Amino acid sequence: MEINAFTIVSDVCEGIGDCFAACPVDCISWAQDKTNAKGTKYAYIRGDECISCGGCLSACPIEGAILDEWFPELQKV
Ligand code: SF4
Ligand code: SF4
């Protein structure tokens, strides 16, 4: 099935969390008890619930942390 969703690039995210409040469908979660290549916590998008509104991308201060397409291979859960 083709998923139409945004992606949080796990190793670019810095765990700032501004994306959470920006999401109208509450489909962003923290990866539990994990750190990424930068050594920070990171978030992921539940692609089957994302409505591709772009709110998270507008809110995120980290260049390249959120992509406007679905790349599950870049997003660790
Ligand atoms: S995607 Fe951006 S706003 Fe969301 S937790 Fe990661 S760095 Fe923060
Ligand atoms: S694109 Fe919209 S619905 Fe999807 S994760 Fe970002 S804020 Fe949530």
Side-chain angles (χ1 to χ4, degrees):
M1 189 187 80
E2 183 84 357
I3 288 189
N4 185 21
F6 281 37
T7 300
I8 294 177
V9 184
S10 303
D11 285 332
V12 178
C13 175
E14 296 189 7
I16 292 160
D18 292 354
C19 51
F20 281 78
C23 181
V25 296
D26 207 12
C27 71
I28 303 174
S29 300
W30 291 117
Q32 294 299 315
D33 303 319
K34 290 182 183 175
T35 54
N36 62 12
K38 293 178 171 177
T40 71
K41 65 178 182 176
Y42 61 93
Y44 66 91
I45 292 169
R46 300 193 301 280
D48 54 341
E49 298 171 48
C50 173
I51 59 170
S52 297
C53 70
C56 56
L57 182 56
S58 299
C60 179
I62 307 301
E63 178 84 38
I66 301 183
L67 306 177
D68 65 358
E69 290 181 66
W70 185 236
F71 292 106
E73 67 276 16
L74 298 179
Q75 183 179 261
K76 299 180 228 168
V77 171

